[in-house]
């Protein structure tokens, strides 16, 4: 394994495939961008709505929470890999 961030330590994801730190950071960015996009769209819809569908709003908020959780989990995994790589290189 290389010492650079893009091809550092590997970790398995939920499907059992191996992901690098770089892959985890990319996936975290993707999920957090999805979350931001859905939040902005939902805010626009609520601002323009005459009536609010509370069940739909609740489901949308749960989806945003799930995407944010996935993003932050991937960030945590990437951070752990960086720390692990750093600790392994210490004398």
């Amino acid at each position: 394994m290389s010492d650079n961030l893009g091809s550092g330590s590997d970790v398995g994801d939920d499907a059992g495939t191996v992901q690098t730190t770089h892959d985890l950071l990319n996936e975290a960015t993707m999920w957090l961008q999805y979350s931001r996009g859905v939040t902005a769209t939902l805010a626009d819809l609520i601002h323009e709505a005459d009536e609010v569908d509370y069940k739909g709003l609740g489901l949308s908020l749960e989806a945003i929470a799930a995407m944010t959780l996935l993003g932050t989990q991937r960030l945590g995994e990437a951070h752990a890999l960086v720390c692990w790589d750093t600790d392994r290189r210490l004398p």
Side-chain angles (χ1 to χ4, degrees), residues 49-78:
D50 293 328
E51 294 180 14
V52 177
D53 172 11
Y54 291 105
K55 282 191 175 189
L57 177 60
L59 289 173
S60 297
L61 291 172
E62 288 174 2
I64 292 167
M67 290 184 284
T68 303
L69 177 63
L70 286 170
T72 55
Q73 284 177 338
R74 296 307 181 266
L75 282 174
E77 292 170 12

Side-chain angles (χ1 to χ4, degrees), residues 1-86:
M1 281 183 253
S2 173
D3 287 338
N4 68 30
L5 185 64
S7 57
S9 291
D10 299 329
V11 68
D13 66 6
D14 295 336
T17 59
V18 176
Q19 290 186 304
T20 64
T21 303
H22 183 70
D23 294 335
L24 288 167
L25 290 171
N26 283 339
E27 192 172 333
T29 301
M30 177 193 70
W31 282 116
L32 294 172
Q33 286 175 339
Y34 286 160
S35 178
R36 187 195 59 77
V38 171
T39 301
T41 301
L42 185 59
D44 288 343
L45 290 173
I46 290 173
H47 285 298
E48 296 174 5
D50 293 328
E51 294 180 14
V52 177
D53 172 11
Y54 291 105
K55 282 191 175 189
L57 177 60
L59 289 173
S60 297
L61 291 172
E62 288 174 2
I64 292 167
M67 290 184 284
T68 303
L69 177 63
L70 286 170
T72 55
Q73 284 177 338
R74 296 307 181 266
L75 282 174
E77 292 170 12
H79 183 256
L81 284 177
V82 168
C83 291
W84 173 258
D85 284 346
T86 301

